[in-house]
Amino acid sequence: MSSMNFPELVSLGSVAFDAHSSFMTGPALAPSRILECLYSDSSNYWTERGFNPLEDKCFSNDGPLSYSDYLGIQKVAQQRIQQGKRLLTLGGDHSISYPLMRAHREFYPDFAILQIDAHGDLYDNFMGNPHSHACPFARIMEEGLCDRLVQVGIRTLNPHQRQQADKFGVEQIEMRHFSKKIRDLHFNRPLYISLDMDGIDPAFAPGVSHHEPGGLNVREVLDLLHSLDVPIVGADIVEYNPHRDPVGITAALAAKLTKEILELMLENS
Ligand code: MN
Ligand code: MN
């Protein structure tokens, strides 16, 4: 375990950006919908394990990191981290994890990423765009922005993406092996969580642009989160698309996962 001290404060931020989506836009609208659910009277503020992150003295909701500027996200994230805060970022397409990781890397010399996703997001470029939401983890690995990348829930690999995973040494728990392999997953260094909502089965999370059947159920995601016992340096919840979520069921799930991840950030040490 790293001996470095982690900032006590945890900051909720949002990113209204979806210009690097490949199929349809919508994740720019995610933050307001998730926050509406988070603070709605339809539920309470407590996590399943009995913690209230929203009223914790170390928690603050600091609003948007950026409305439109992709690389500007990095600058605002850096500023907040410099202020002694750890970030949970809501909304955006998955391309935003790259500028977020650049910001985190300046401050955290040793951390792993847990990516929950139907997709590897490892394309060298997608339709000519190296910053597509299909590419962020190729950029992250090329620049050495983390010390270990573990992808869970993957079920869309093609030969190019398998090659990329090999090249970068990415560990993958493909969905077809999930029940056998998840038991052996352990982290021994601080962790960043990147949660793409399409990692969850579309039966539970229809509000995403890319419906990929055969994914994690909600309980499997919660069990995985509850099993994490290392410090969390930051997290993002991306790819929620309100256009595909007519009754708000996916927003409610994203809000619940926000609370559960905030608990990990505030309570794990
Ligand atoms: Mn993704
Ligand atoms: Mn995905």
PDB file of all heavy atoms in Angstrom, residues 190-205:
ATOM      1  N   PRO A 190      -3.875   2.236  -4.543  1.00  0.00           N
ATOM      2  CA  PRO A 190      -5.034   3.126  -4.665  1.00  0.00           C
ATOM      3  C   PRO A 190      -5.704   2.968  -6.031  1.00  0.00           C
ATOM      4  O   PRO A 190      -5.066   2.569  -7.015  1.00  0.00           O
ATOM      5  CB  PRO A 190      -4.419   4.521  -4.512  1.00  0.00           C
ATOM      6  CG  PRO A 190      -3.158   4.297  -3.747  1.00  0.00           C
ATOM      7  CD  PRO A 190      -2.649   2.951  -4.155  1.00  0.00           C
ATOM      8  N   LEU A 191      -6.981   3.319  -6.057  1.00  0.00           N
ATOM      9  CA  LEU A 191      -7.798   2.961  -7.207  1.00  0.00           C
ATOM     10  C   LEU A 191      -8.626   4.137  -7.712  1.00  0.00           C
ATOM     11  O   LEU A 191      -9.174   4.915  -6.931  1.00  0.00           O
ATOM     12  CB  LEU A 191      -8.743   1.824  -6.781  1.00  0.00           C
ATOM     13  CG  LEU A 191      -9.592   1.153  -7.855  1.00  0.00           C
ATOM     14  CD1 LEU A 191      -8.709   0.420  -8.861  1.00  0.00           C
ATOM     15  CD2 LEU A 191     -10.571   0.169  -7.212  1.00  0.00           C
ATOM     16  N   TYR A 192      -8.710   4.239  -9.035  1.00  0.00           N
ATOM     17  CA  TYR A 192      -9.646   5.151  -9.698  1.00  0.00           C
ATOM     18  C   TYR A 192     -10.729   4.279 -10.334  1.00  0.00           C
ATOM     19  O   TYR A 192     -10.419   3.287 -10.998  1.00  0.00           O
ATOM     20  CB  TYR A 192      -8.925   5.972 -10.782  1.00  0.00           C
ATOM     21  CG  TYR A 192      -9.815   6.993 -11.448  1.00  0.00           C
ATOM     22  CD1 TYR A 192      -9.826   8.321 -11.023  1.00  0.00           C
ATOM     23  CD2 TYR A 192     -10.660   6.634 -12.496  1.00  0.00           C
ATOM     24  CE1 TYR A 192     -10.651   9.268 -11.633  1.00  0.00           C
ATOM     25  CE2 TYR A 192     -11.492   7.564 -13.097  1.00  0.00           C
ATOM     26  CZ  TYR A 192     -11.483   8.877 -12.666  1.00  0.00           C
ATOM     27  OH  TYR A 192     -12.313   9.807 -13.272  1.00  0.00           O
ATOM     28  N   ILE A 193     -11.986   4.629 -10.148  1.00  0.00           N
ATOM     29  CA  ILE A 193     -13.092   3.849 -10.707  1.00  0.00           C
ATOM     30  C   ILE A 193     -13.690   4.598 -11.897  1.00  0.00           C
ATOM     31  O   ILE A 193     -14.121   5.749 -11.762  1.00  0.00           O
ATOM     32  CB  ILE A 193     -14.195   3.618  -9.650  1.00  0.00           C
ATOM     33  CG1 ILE A 193     -13.627   2.884  -8.430  1.00  0.00           C
ATOM     34  CG2 ILE A 193     -15.369   2.841 -10.255  1.00  0.00           C
ATOM     35  CD1 ILE A 193     -14.588   2.852  -7.242  1.00  0.00           C
ATOM     36  N   SER A 194     -13.717   3.958 -13.061  1.00  0.00           N
ATOM     37  CA  SER A 194     -14.351   4.550 -14.237  1.00  0.00           C
ATOM     38  C   SER A 194     -15.530   3.666 -14.630  1.00  0.00           C
ATOM     39  O   SER A 194     -15.357   2.563 -15.133  1.00  0.00           O
ATOM     40  CB  SER A 194     -13.338   4.660 -15.379  1.00  0.00           C
ATOM     41  OG  SER A 194     -13.895   5.415 -16.433  1.00  0.00           O
ATOM     42  N   LEU A 195     -16.713   4.174 -14.344  1.00  0.00           N
ATOM     43  CA  LEU A 195     -17.922   3.365 -14.505  1.00  0.00           C
ATOM     44  C   LEU A 195     -18.710   3.831 -15.718  1.00  0.00           C
ATOM     45  O   LEU A 195     -19.345   4.892 -15.701  1.00  0.00           O
ATOM     46  CB  LEU A 195     -18.771   3.467 -13.221  1.00  0.00           C
ATOM     47  CG  LEU A 195     -20.149   2.843 -13.206  1.00  0.00           C
ATOM     48  CD1 LEU A 195     -20.129   1.385 -13.655  1.00  0.00           C
ATOM     49  CD2 LEU A 195     -20.749   2.927 -11.821  1.00  0.00           C
ATOM     50  N   ASP A 196     -18.627   3.050 -16.793  1.00  0.00           N
ATOM     51  CA  ASP A 196     -19.443   3.281 -17.980  1.00  0.00           C
ATOM     52  C   ASP A 196     -20.768   2.551 -17.747  1.00  0.00           C
ATOM     53  O   ASP A 196     -20.789   1.329 -17.521  1.00  0.00           O
ATOM     54  CB  ASP A 196     -18.693   2.719 -19.199  1.00  0.00           C
ATOM     55  CG  ASP A 196     -19.430   2.928 -20.512  1.00  0.00           C
ATOM     56  OD1 ASP A 196     -20.676   2.907 -20.513  1.00  0.00           O
ATOM     57  OD2 ASP A 196     -18.745   3.074 -21.546  1.00  0.00           O
ATOM     58  N   MET A 197     -21.859   3.291 -17.781  1.00  0.00           N
ATOM     59  CA  MET A 197     -23.161   2.706 -17.434  1.00  0.00           C
ATOM     60  C   MET A 197     -23.540   1.549 -18.363  1.00  0.00           C
ATOM     61  O   MET A 197     -24.363   0.707 -18.006  1.00  0.00           O
ATOM     62  CB  MET A 197     -24.254   3.777 -17.456  1.00  0.00           C
ATOM     63  CG  MET A 197     -24.160   4.806 -16.341  1.00  0.00           C
ATOM     64  SD  MET A 197     -24.294   4.099 -14.665  1.00  0.00           S
ATOM     65  CE  MET A 197     -26.029   3.614 -14.633  1.00  0.00           C
ATOM     66  N   ASP A 198     -22.915   1.476 -19.568  1.00  0.00           N
ATOM     67  CA  ASP A 198     -23.283   0.366 -20.463  1.00  0.00           C
ATOM     68  C   ASP A 198     -22.603  -0.947 -20.075  1.00  0.00           C
ATOM     69  O   ASP A 198     -22.870  -1.992 -20.670  1.00  0.00           O
ATOM     70  CB  ASP A 198     -23.062   0.724 -21.937  1.00  0.00           C
ATOM     71  CG  ASP A 198     -21.608   0.862 -22.358  1.00  0.00           C
ATOM     72  OD1 ASP A 198     -20.734   0.202 -21.780  1.00  0.00           O
ATOM     73  OD2 ASP A 198     -21.353   1.649 -23.298  1.00  0.00           O
ATOM     74  N   GLY A 199     -21.735  -0.919 -19.043  1.00  0.00           N
ATOM     75  CA  GLY A 199     -21.215  -2.174 -18.503  1.00  0.00           C
ATOM     76  C   GLY A 199     -22.334  -2.999 -17.872  1.00  0.00           C
ATOM     77  O   GLY A 199     -22.316  -4.236 -17.874  1.00  0.00           O
ATOM     78  N   ILE A 200     -23.326  -2.279 -17.347  1.00  0.00           N
ATOM     79  CA  ILE A 200     -24.490  -2.921 -16.726  1.00  0.00           C
ATOM     80  C   ILE A 200     -25.429  -3.391 -17.845  1.00  0.00           C
ATOM     81  O   ILE A 200     -25.520  -2.778 -18.903  1.00  0.00           O
ATOM     82  CB  ILE A 200     -25.186  -1.904 -15.784  1.00  0.00           C
ATOM     83  CG1 ILE A 200     -24.177  -1.437 -14.714  1.00  0.00           C
ATOM     84  CG2 ILE A 200     -26.433  -2.505 -15.151  1.00  0.00           C
ATOM     85  CD1 ILE A 200     -24.521  -0.119 -14.090  1.00  0.00           C
ATOM     86  N   ASP A 201     -26.114  -4.486 -17.601  1.00  0.00           N
ATOM     87  CA  ASP A 201     -27.010  -5.030 -18.627  1.00  0.00           C
ATOM     88  C   ASP A 201     -28.094  -4.000 -18.988  1.00  0.00           C
ATOM     89  O   ASP A 201     -28.642  -3.346 -18.096  1.00  0.00           O
ATOM     90  CB  ASP A 201     -27.656  -6.315 -18.107  1.00  0.00           C
ATOM     91  CG  ASP A 201     -28.298  -7.092 -19.242  1.00  0.00           C
ATOM     92  OD1 ASP A 201     -29.448  -6.766 -19.610  1.00  0.00           O
ATOM     93  OD2 ASP A 201     -27.627  -7.994 -19.774  1.00  0.00           O
ATOM     94  N   PRO A 202     -28.399  -3.866 -20.286  1.00  0.00           N
ATOM     95  CA  PRO A 202     -29.420  -2.886 -20.674  1.00  0.00           C
ATOM     96  C   PRO A 202     -30.812  -3.172 -20.087  1.00  0.00           C
ATOM     97  O   PRO A 202     -31.668  -2.283 -20.065  1.00  0.00           O
ATOM     98  CB  PRO A 202     -29.428  -2.952 -22.212  1.00  0.00           C
ATOM     99  CG  PRO A 202     -28.660  -4.180 -22.579  1.00  0.00           C
ATOM    100  CD  PRO A 202     -27.725  -4.471 -21.438  1.00  0.00           C
ATOM    101  N   ALA A 203     -31.010  -4.395 -19.589  1.00  0.00           N
ATOM    102  CA  ALA A 203     -32.277  -4.660 -18.892  1.00  0.00           C
ATOM    103  C   ALA A 203     -32.380  -3.817 -17.619  1.00  0.00           C
ATOM    104  O   ALA A 203     -33.476  -3.439 -17.198  1.00  0.00           O
ATOM    105  CB  ALA A 203     -32.373  -6.142 -18.528  1.00  0.00           C
ATOM    106  N   PHE A 204     -31.238  -3.529 -17.004  1.00  0.00           N
ATOM    107  CA  PHE A 204     -31.203  -2.742 -15.764  1.00  0.00           C
ATOM    108  C   PHE A 204     -30.875  -1.279 -16.043  1.00  0.00           C
ATOM    109  O   PHE A 204     -31.231  -0.417 -15.260  1.00  0.00           O
ATOM    110  CB  PHE A 204     -30.142  -3.302 -14.807  1.00  0.00           C
ATOM    111  CG  PHE A 204     -30.379  -4.721 -14.411  1.00  0.00           C
ATOM    112  CD1 PHE A 204     -29.794  -5.765 -15.116  1.00  0.00           C
ATOM    113  CD2 PHE A 204     -31.208  -5.016 -13.340  1.00  0.00           C
ATOM    114  CE1 PHE A 204     -30.018  -7.072 -14.748  1.00  0.00           C
ATOM    115  CE2 PHE A 204     -31.439  -6.326 -12.967  1.00  0.00           C
ATOM    116  CZ  PHE A 204     -30.851  -7.363 -13.676  1.00  0.00           C
ATOM    117  N   ALA A 205     -30.136  -1.039 -17.118  1.00  0.00           N
ATOM    118  CA  ALA A 205     -29.676   0.316 -17.437  1.00  0.00           C
ATOM    119  C   ALA A 205     -29.899   0.592 -18.923  1.00  0.00           C
ATOM    120  O   ALA A 205     -28.970   0.629 -19.715  1.00  0.00           O
ATOM    121  CB  ALA A 205     -28.195   0.465 -17.077  1.00  0.00           C
TER     122      ALA A 205
END
